[in-house]
Every structure is written in structure tokens, then in C-alpha cells.
Amino acid sequence: MFRNVCRQFPVTPLINKRIPVRTLRVSEIRFNDKSEQSSTYSFDKSLLKYLVCPLSKKPLRYEEQTNELINDELGIAYPVVDGIPNLIPQDARKIHRNEMHKNDSKLE
């Protein structure tokens, strides 16, 4: 059956065809500063209603000063890189209880 299906498609040899390839010179490649990129991208706060912690399935809150999504229940902070939340548990960092209470006192 597979052979019958393959026979329906024409086969064209690629040996004599030239494929144009454009090479880039080093002077044409643009290198961006990381500081320039990080200021360009910001986290969209409307995503917070859809994002949950992958471990506890609880909602996260966004901390603008540290650019992290925080799960207060587990004390974990997920980084936001170039406006994209990184919700991989291995990349998260543990938050000290003091940091969580400082953030709570700022809200009051």
C-alpha cells in the first residue's frame, strides 16, 4: 500500500538544480545588548488569570521589582525572561519567609 501511495507523487532529481544561498558577513549580523532587550519586553499582566503554579495549581502573583511570578503558598518565585514566564520548577527559586512578609506589608 505504501508503495502505491509513493508512486502517485512525481520524483524530481535535485542534482542539477542550484539553490541560491546567501551568506552573512560578520558586519551584517546585529548583536543586541541584553539590557536593550529586557526593556523592550514586559510581562503582560492579563496572563495572570490563566497562569497557575505547576506544582500546587494555585494562582500566582507578579512582582514587578524582581520580575518574578510568586507562589506565596509554597514560597517559590518563577522568573520572567523577556516577558515570557518560565514556569519550570527546576528554574524557580525559593523565597525566604522574610521576603514574603515584606511584600505583604507593602500591599497594606
Side-chain angles (χ1 to χ4, degrees):
M1 181 176 165
F2 182 71
R3 291 180 185 169
N4 294 335
V5 172
C6 291
R7 288 180 188 163
Q8 294 175 2
F9 300 108
V11 178
T12 56
L14 296 174
I15 298 170
N16 294 332
K17 292 187 178 184
R18 289 186 174 221
I19 301 171
V21 176
R22 183 174 183 267
T23 58
L24 292 175
R25 295 182 187 141
V26 174
S27 61
E28 293 176 333
I29 299 173
R30 221 177 129 199
F31 296 100
N32 294 331
D33 285 340
K34 291 197 177 212
S35 61
E36 188 179 300
Q37 286 180 351
S38 63
S39 64
T40 308
Y41 303 107
S42 62
F43 178 69
D44 186 9
K45 293 179 187 172
S46 66
L47 293 174
L48 285 174
K49 57 185 167 185
Y50 303 110
L51 294 175
V52 294
C53 176
L55 299 174
S56 68
K57 309 296 188 247
K58 300 287 182 183
L60 299 167
R61 71 175 169 84
Y62 178 63
E63 182 65 38
E64 288 185 39
Q65 295 171 344
T66 59
N67 200 25
E68 292 175 325
L69 292 172
I70 297 175
N71 180 343
D72 291 319
E73 183 180 291
L74 297 178
I76 297 175
Y78 296 98
V80 176
V81 182
D82 294 334
I84 302 169
N86 181 357
L87 296 178
I88 300 173
Q90 291 84 0
D91 294 342
R93 71 177 183 93
K94 290 185 180 181
I95 299 176
H96 298 290
R97 296 285 178 198
N98 297 340
E99 289 182 43
M100 289 184 355
H101 293 300
K102 280 184 203 175
N103 294 333
D104 291 339
S105 63
K106 288 179 186 176
L107 297 175
E108 295 175 354

